[in-house]
Amino acid sequence: MTIITTDSLNTKHFSKGSRFGKDATVEDFFRDFWSGIEGEVGRKEKLEEELLTLEEEEKKKKLEQELLTLKKRELHRKYVSLATMVPFALLMAVELEKTCSDQVLLGLISSALGHTILPFTTLYLICTLYLIYNNRKIAQKERELKNIEDGEIIEKERRDIPYTVDDYFNYADAALVTLVIVASIVSQALEQGIIGDVAFSISSLFYFVASATFCYREYKKSKKHEVEKEQGFDDRSEKKTSNMSAAKLMFAGSSILLIRRIMLIALSSSLHPAVGPTLGLVGMIFLIAGSVLIARSYSRKLENIEVSGKGVSIGAGVGNVGDGGSNTEGPAIA
């Protein structure tokens, strides 16, 4: 029986089939064996990293597609909201023409359009509620996409989406539209026009403040753009996102409609019948023009995969349209 000792292992050569050299020792064997294991572990970790990278790329593409779909839906909402303004512009035009003519047909058309105001106000409320929901989804998807790009892993239940100024305006918008709808129904049921007047006045004032805020923010953005342009920064992206022209139109429209509302309350007895419809028509034209510009600007952004921004409901809102002395009101949406 042969006894193998450490000294004999240190001097004894390995078998002919071994890949070690002639003078290899046990330490060399284990060193090479361990390096082989480390190489296998490293290759395994590399494969896992490559697989994780592929999964992140797939998830990123999926999130980008979902985000684009949500923003396309927001564009469709803008068009639906824009469509709700058309009947009220027509109503103002008919009311204005009716004051200058005694045609019975115009009276019938005006009465028919007046009955469409409450349904279109309800449609506007639905659009506003969907805007709130869609904005939260967009913010969530943008946060997930940013985390993937930054390599951060955050548990979904711990991810808090901060509220923006636009979100608060949209919540207030939904609350005021609901108030106007309820006030309209109560006013008709109790034949108390003062209830509707109060709701419409609050709504008109709110949308004036909202459009003024929107205009101020766009003004600050344009000033920032001018400074960056003087410093030599690329201004192409800023030009695509500028809504200054639309903001001015929205502010002008909401201002005219607020003035109209004040005149209807303060000068109702001495006001000429044509003043109300005229101011209402001019204000609606400004609002429609501003809304079209905003929708077109948002549509152009969707052509860029890096589109950013959420929907915002800014404009004349509800309770600004009607004839010179009636309480026939409706939404004007941006």
Side-chain angles (χ1 to χ4, degrees):
M1 181 175 182
T2 303
I3 300 175
I4 300 175
T5 64
T6 304
D7 294 335
S8 64
L9 282 173
N10 290 334
T11 58
K12 188 177 181 64
H13 301 309
F14 288 94
S15 62
K16 185 177 182 179
S18 174
R19 64 187 180 91
F20 292 94
K22 183 177 180 180
D23 298 328
T25 61
V26 173
E27 288 82 357
D28 296 327
F29 169 76
F30 282 109
R31 188 182 300 111
D32 190 78
F33 179 73
W34 182 251
S35 64
I37 292 177
E38 288 180 340
E40 290 294 330
V41 173
R43 284 192 292 271
K44 182 178 179 181
E45 291 177 351
K46 185 178 181 180
L47 289 174
E48 289 177 350
E49 290 177 359
E50 292 177 353
L51 182 60
L52 182 61
T53 302
L54 290 174
E55 291 177 352
E56 288 180 351
E57 287 294 330
E58 290 294 328
K59 187 176 181 181
K60 181 179 178 181
K61 290 180 180 179
K62 183 179 179 181
L63 283 173
E64 287 177 345
Q65 186 61 42
E66 290 177 353
L67 192 58
L68 187 60
T69 300
L70 289 172
K71 292 184 176 182
K72 285 182 178 179
R73 291 176 182 173
E74 166 58 19
L75 179 61
H76 297 156
R77 184 209 64 83
K78 288 181 181 294
Y79 288 138
V80 173
S81 297
L82 177 60
T84 62
M85 287 192 287
V86 175
F88 308 108
L90 292 176
L91 177 61
M92 292 296 95
V94 171
E95 287 292 327
L96 181 60
E97 181 66 22
K98 190 175 69 172
T99 58
C100 304
S101 174
D102 295 331
Q103 296 183 20
V104 178
L105 179 60
L106 291 176
L108 295 175
I109 295 174
S110 176
S111 177
L113 288 173
H115 284 88
T116 66
I117 289 178
L118 188 58
F120 274 99
T121 306
T122 305
L123 178 60
Y124 174 50
L125 175 60
I126 294 172
C127 289
T128 304
L129 293 176
Y130 178 76
L131 171 64
I132 294 171
Y133 166 79
N134 206 39
N135 275 355
R136 300 305 294 173
K137 294 289 291 184
I138 289 175
Q140 179 183 350
K141 297 299 180 183
E142 287 179 341
R143 173 67 66 85
E144 293 178 6
L145 188 60
K146 185 177 184 299
N147 290 337
I148 291 177
E149 293 174 348
D150 296 342
E152 299 177 2
I153 301 177
I154 302 177
E155 296 181 7
K156 186 175 182 180
E157 57 271 14
R158 294 182 182 178
R159 188 179 299 127
D160 296 328
I161 306 298
Y163 288 90
T164 64
V165 176
D166 292 336
D167 292 328
Y168 291 119
F169 270 119
N170 292 334
Y171 284 121
D173 190 11
L176 284 174
V177 175
T178 304
L179 175 64
V180 168
I181 292 174
V182 173
S184 298
I185 296 174
V186 172
S187 296
Q188 293 178 7
L190 301 179
E191 297 183 354
Q192 295 292 329
I194 187 63
I195 298 176
D197 288 339
V198 171
F200 299 143
S201 300
I202 295 173
S203 178
S204 299
L205 181 60
F206 167 78
Y207 290 108
F208 170 77
V209 174
S211 61
T213 303
F214 178 46
C215 190
Y216 175 74
R217 290 168 62 186
E218 291 298 322
Y219 172 76
K220 296 289 288 185
K221 186 188 295 184
S222 64
K223 284 296 183 182
K224 180 181 177 182
H225 161 59
E226 291 178 1
V227 174
E228 291 178 349
K229 187 177 180 180
E230 291 176 356
Q231 295 175 353
F233 291 106
D234 185 16
D235 60 343
R236 288 177 296 177
S237 60
E238 187 68 25
K239 286 181 180 179
K240 291 182 180 179
T241 58
S242 177
N243 286 320
M244 191 60 200
S245 299
K248 290 179 180 178
L249 289 171
M250 304 298 290
F251 179 68
S254 61
S255 300
I256 292 173
L257 293 177
L258 178 61
I259 293 172
R260 172 186 175 274
R261 170 51 51 187
I262 295 173
M263 291 179 67
L264 288 177
I265 295 175
L267 305 173
S268 57
S269 58
S270 59
L271 195 65
H272 191 277
V275 173
T278 301
L279 292 177
L281 180 60
V282 173
M284 292 301 299
I285 290 174
F286 279 127
L287 290 175
I288 291 174
S291 299
V292 170
L293 290 179
I294 291 175
R296 288 184 61 187
S297 175
Y298 196 89
S299 178
R300 285 195 299 269
K301 291 179 187 179
L302 291 180
E303 297 175 0
N304 185 353
I305 194 170
E306 296 179 355
V307 58
S308 61
K310 299 180 291 181
V312 55
S313 177
I314 298 175
V318 181
N320 293 310
V321 187
D323 59 35
S326 69
N327 289 323
T328 304
E329 309 290 340
I333 304 140

